[in-house]
Amino acid sequence: GRIKGVATSATTLNYGTYGLKALEAERVTARQIEAARVAMTRFMKRAGRVWVRIFPDVPVSKKPTEVRMGKGKGSPEYWACRVKPGKIL
């Protein structure tokens, strides 16, 4: 499905001094969220605090390669979060 519209919640900076703001509608995977968190904490040398305001709650399924059509839905490949433009991550 599509991610339509702009974000209505979490559009202002509530925690801390700096923030990341989404500019496009996209799915952010759990691995991307974790990689961003690790990169930020390494850059700050663990001196500050990081708040993650998104949670990957959408399972994205995929069928294995070289499998014929039918035979049900594939198993969950990864977890993602739908992000609308304007949301503070």
Side-chain angles (χ1 to χ4, degrees):
R2 279 192 219 115
I3 307 170
K4 294 166 44 175
V6 294
T8 55
S9 63
T11 56
T12 58
L13 191 63
N14 291 337
Y15 308 107
T17 312
Y18 303 100
L20 284 176
K21 189 173 198 176
L23 297 177
E24 297 179 351
E26 198 65 43
R27 284 196 297 210
V28 181
T29 66
R31 288 177 183 240
Q32 291 172 333
I33 296 169
E34 181 63 16
R37 188 191 64 78
V38 167
M40 284 188 283
T41 53
R42 281 196 182 147
F43 183 78
M44 295 186 306
K45 296 183 174 59
R46 297 185 229 357
R49 296 178 73 182
V50 177
W51 287 274
V52 180
R53 298 186 68 180
I54 55 175
F55 184 77
D57 57 349
V58 179
V60 179
S61 61
K62 184 181 173 189
K63 292 195 114 171
T65 55
E66 300 178 8
V67 173
R68 295 183 179 186
M69 292 286 103
K71 305 289 187 256
K73 189 174 180 175
S75 60
E77 188 74 16
Y78 58 92
W79 290 82
C81 172
R82 294 186 189 107
V83 174
K84 291 183 177 183
K87 187 171 185 104
I88 301 291
L89 307 179

